[in-house]
Amino acid sequence: MTMTTPSSQLYYSYLHALLFISAMGVLTLLSSPKIQAEESINDKTLLVGTYSCPPFVMIDKPDDYQGLTFLLWDNIATNLNLKYRVKELPLKELLEAVASGKLDVGLSCISITPEREELLDFSHSFYETNLAIAVKQKSHWETFTGIIFNKKLLQILAIVAIAASTVGGIYYLLEHRVNDKLYSMQSRSARLVEGFILGLLFITKGPFNYYEFKTLTGRVVTVLLAVFTTLFIASITAVLASSFTLGLINNDIKGPNDLDNVLTGAKESSTSSEFLTNHSIIHKTYPTVSDMLSALNNGEVNAIVYDDAILRYQIKKAQSKGVFEQLQVLPYQFEKQNYGIVLGENSPYDEEINRELLQFRKSNQWKKTLIEYFKIK
């Protein structure tokens, strides 16, 4: 018969307690969401949402997804051994589906915004661009009439006419009785016309020879006006050059502030539409970028606002096929856009996806592909 001492009983009790605590710790670790996620990340077939957004997502035929975003995603999925299937949805429905858990991932040209971050998670940015404005170029006749009836030009011509009349009138009063060379006409009305012409030449060409004038006052006025007309001509030239250049290329739209005065279009549920709404700019919305471009080309709107990279790509692509030849993107960029992969809140895939994304962004394959897509001949 084996007898147990109180010390040995204490030892066995301590050993049992230690084994129990160790077992509970192992069970806790095994049952933690992170471990379970790591174990199941390769077992689940992810449901990925997308929509057409060339050159980031291009769907030429069913179940054939190409473009920059899918190049990135395929690389990530291959390296992480992820299985997935794709479902096409409009942007708004895609975001709602990821937020509700019906989709695991959203892929396209989706901008990361604070408002979307409240409901969703995003990967790191994989592409950066800005909002831009596209317009339809004027025809040659529209350009000509636009220059002729340009408001700034008409204002400048009025100023020049008033200045010429004033200068001509001053010289007429001082010189017309004593200066037969400058005022050679017989009738008074003809001499007045000569005075206006003199003033116009003075304003537009600069000061005359000091000795052309007979009176001392006329000569003093000539010296004083010499400085004024030099500055005046330089200012008028700069304003006219700027006005003509802008009138030729942009239908008087110089930036977002000018969109208040024209019919504007944007893609529905997009950051460009949100931007216009936040700036109280009334606009029409269209389901796709192609619809927007068609509306602009057909004259339904005077300008459209969307991501610069996408507008430039799609317009150049269309023009290479002989379509939308009068459309152009203006050189005014605003409101930076960062594209990311959409993930549900607390997604178990975010760390792995971000790691692979950052790695691929540094690769030569990514850099070469960017050049290939955006260098359209």
Side-chain angles (χ1 to χ4, degrees):
M1 183 175 178
T2 303
M3 300 293 293
T4 58
T5 64
S7 60
S8 62
Q9 288 179 344
L10 181 62
Y11 170 77
Y12 285 118
S13 298
Y14 175 77
L15 183 60
H16 290 158
L18 185 61
L19 290 172
F20 177 77
I21 292 171
S22 299
M24 291 299 293
V26 171
L27 288 173
T28 301
L29 286 173
L30 290 175
S31 63
S32 68
K34 186 172 182 179
I35 295 298
Q36 288 179 339
E38 290 176 352
E39 289 179 346
S40 62
I41 189 171
N42 297 326
D43 298 331
K44 180 181 178 181
T45 298
L46 303 182
L47 186 56
V48 174
T50 192
Y51 59 87
S52 178
C53 183
F56 293 91
V57 175
M58 296 184 289
I59 311 170
D60 295 328
K61 54 185 178 180
D63 298 324
D64 181 21
Y65 302 98
Q66 303 293 328
L68 288 166
T69 305
F70 269 91
L71 172 67
L72 171 67
W73 175 250
D74 285 338
N75 180 273
I76 292 172
T78 299
N79 290 343
L80 295 179
N81 195 26
L82 298 176
K83 298 184 289 292
Y84 67 93
R85 61 187 180 90
V86 181
K87 183 177 182 180
E88 293 178 41
L89 290 170
L91 172 59
K92 184 177 180 181
E93 294 179 22
L94 184 152
L95 296 176
E96 292 173 350
V98 177
S100 65
K102 295 178 182 178
L103 292 177
D104 298 296
V105 176
L107 300 173
S108 195
C109 50
I110 304 173
S111 298
I112 303 169
T113 67
E115 295 78 14
R116 291 172 180 173
E117 282 275 13
E118 291 179 1
L119 303 173
L120 302 157
D121 282 341
F122 282 87
S123 69
H124 292 310
S125 171
F126 65 83
Y127 190 83
E128 293 78 38
T129 184
N130 296 81
L131 293 183
I133 302 169
V135 298
K136 186 176 182 180
Q137 289 177 310
K138 299 174 181 177
S139 66
H140 294 302
W141 174 250
E142 289 173 329
T143 300
F144 175 74
T145 56
I147 291 174
I148 296 300
F149 297 106
N150 184 287
K151 291 181 181 179
K152 191 169 290 186
L153 173 62
L154 295 176
Q155 291 171 353
I156 290 172
L157 290 177
I159 293 171
V160 169
I162 294 170
S165 299
T166 303
V167 172
I170 292 172
Y171 280 121
Y172 178 81
L173 293 174
L174 295 173
E175 299 278 329
H176 79 281
R177 291 189 179 89
V178 296
N179 198 327
D180 295 334
K181 182 179 180 180
L182 294 179
Y183 301 95
S184 58
M185 296 291 108
Q186 296 299 317
S187 67
R188 184 171 180 273
S189 59
R191 289 198 297 271
L192 286 174
V193 172
E194 284 185 310
F196 176 78
I197 293 173
L198 175 67
L200 187 61
L201 291 173
F202 205 110
I203 290 296
T204 56
K205 293 182 65 176
F208 278 65
N209 190 321
Y210 175 83
Y211 297 103
E212 293 284 343
F213 302 97
K214 302 295 185 182
T215 65
L216 177 61
T217 306
R219 292 181 176 183
V220 171
V221 170
T222 300
V223 173
L224 294 176
L225 286 177
V227 177
F228 168 77
T229 53
T230 301
L231 298 175
F232 181 80
I233 293 169
S235 301
I236 291 297
T237 302
V239 172
L240 283 176
S242 173
S243 178
F244 287 164
T245 302
L246 291 174
L248 285 171
I249 67 170
N250 67 11
N251 288 336
D252 297 324
I253 299 173
K254 305 175 182 62
N257 293 334
D258 298 316
L259 296 175
D260 276 327
N261 306 316
V262 298
L263 294 172
T264 305
K267 187 172 180 288
E268 61 186 14
S269 303
S270 65
T271 49
S272 54
S273 179
E274 292 174 8
F275 174 85
L276 295 173
T277 299
N278 292 338
H279 287 75
S280 302
I281 298 173
I282 299 173
H283 59 283
K284 297 179 68 175
T285 58
Y286 298 89
T288 67
V289 178
S290 296
D291 292 332
M292 273 200 309
L293 294 173
S294 296
L296 178 61
N297 192 63
N298 296 334
E300 295 176 24
V301 292
N302 304 115
I304 58 174
V305 179
Y306 201 58
D307 301 9
D308 180 76
I310 296 170
L311 283 177
R312 291 185 185 278
Y313 176 86
Q314 297 209 26
I315 289 174
K316 286 183 179 179
K317 192 74 172 178
Q319 289 175 346
S320 68
K321 300 177 182 178
V323 185
F324 300 154
E325 293 184 337
Q326 288 183 278
L327 302 190
Q328 67 174 162
V329 181
L330 301 181
Y332 313 106
Q333 297 185 349
F334 50 98
E335 202 72 11
K336 188 174 181 179
Q337 305 292 299
N338 296 285
Y339 296 161
I341 297 173
V342 184
L343 303 165
E345 281 198 301
N346 303 315
S347 171
Y349 318 114
D350 56 355
E351 290 186 14
E352 291 83 357
I353 287 175
N354 278 324
R355 186 164 52 248
E356 295 298 333
L357 182 154
L358 294 174
Q359 190 68 29
F360 190 63
R361 274 200 63 166
K362 296 188 295 183
S363 69
N364 288 330
Q365 183 184 359
W366 177 253
K367 295 172 184 176
K368 289 179 180 178
T369 307
L370 286 176
I371 294 172
E372 289 173 5
Y373 272 109
F374 289 107
K375 189 178 180 181
I376 303 170
K377 296 181 181 179

